[in-house]
Amino acid sequence: MRAAVGGPHSAEDDEAALDGRPAHITVTLAGDGPCIAQARHQAAAFLVQAQAEHGLPVTQRTTDLTQLVVSELVTNARKYAPGPIMMTLRITGETVEVSVWDSDPVLPVARAADAGRVGQHGLEIVMAVAQSFEARREPVGKRISVGVALLDAPGLGSAAA
């Protein structure tokens, strides 16, 4: 696993940057072995760092949902695309954006909810917890981007992590 903090800088980065440090990270995963666990760990560490360095209000619910989205997206990339996986985590306003790139150009299709179906509920779960969802082809492969609310909705009663 290789992590790179920084990278291309955009106006979106400025929204979440404090002291000139952008709140984003890009991680390259091998696409095999423990890459799903590594991605989950990296997502949790990123949110802890964003809270500590930028004073962002990150709740346990936000961390749990972000790790769930990361697990589902990286699992799909590992299952359907050969080779490495690239994951970018970015704080944009009040959203944690999880973006996963893989080498397979076929865009995922959410299936209709079916409680009797065994498996293949990942995209359905991601879309249920997401603030935003985008799947787009890249010059090589595809990129799936999901926004997770940084702040809990009123009335959920989650305490800050």
Side-chain angles (χ1 to χ4, degrees), residues 46-79:
F46 170 75
L47 291 172
V48 166
Q49 183 179 3
Q51 184 176 33
E53 291 184 5
H54 301 286
L56 297 172
V58 178
T59 65
Q60 186 61 50
R61 182 174 188 279
T62 298
T63 300
D64 292 345
L65 290 178
T66 300
Q67 287 184 300
L68 173 64
V69 167
V70 163
S71 288
E72 295 299 337
L73 296 182
V74 172
T75 296
N76 285 347
R78 183 172 181 229
K79 184 175 179 179

Side-chain angles (χ1 to χ4, degrees), residues 45-130:
F46 170 75
L47 291 172
V48 166
Q49 183 179 3
Q51 184 176 33
E53 291 184 5
H54 301 286
L56 297 172
V58 178
T59 65
Q60 186 61 50
R61 182 174 188 279
T62 298
T63 300
D64 292 345
L65 290 178
T66 300
Q67 287 184 300
L68 173 64
V69 167
V70 163
S71 288
E72 295 299 337
L73 296 182
V74 172
T75 296
N76 285 347
R78 183 172 181 229
K79 184 175 179 179
Y80 297 111
I85 299 163
M86 191 175 334
M87 177 180 73
T88 300
L89 302 165
R90 178 185 320 269
I91 305 290
T92 306
E94 295 180 356
T95 303
V96 179
E97 180 183 286
V98 177
S99 180
V100 173
W101 171 90
D102 66 53
S103 63
D104 184 7
V106 177
L107 298 178
V109 177
R111 298 177 73 180
D114 179 358
R117 183 176 69 238
V118 177
Q120 298 187 347
H121 292 279
L123 193 55
E124 182 181 334
I125 292 167
V126 166
M127 293 178 87
V129 302

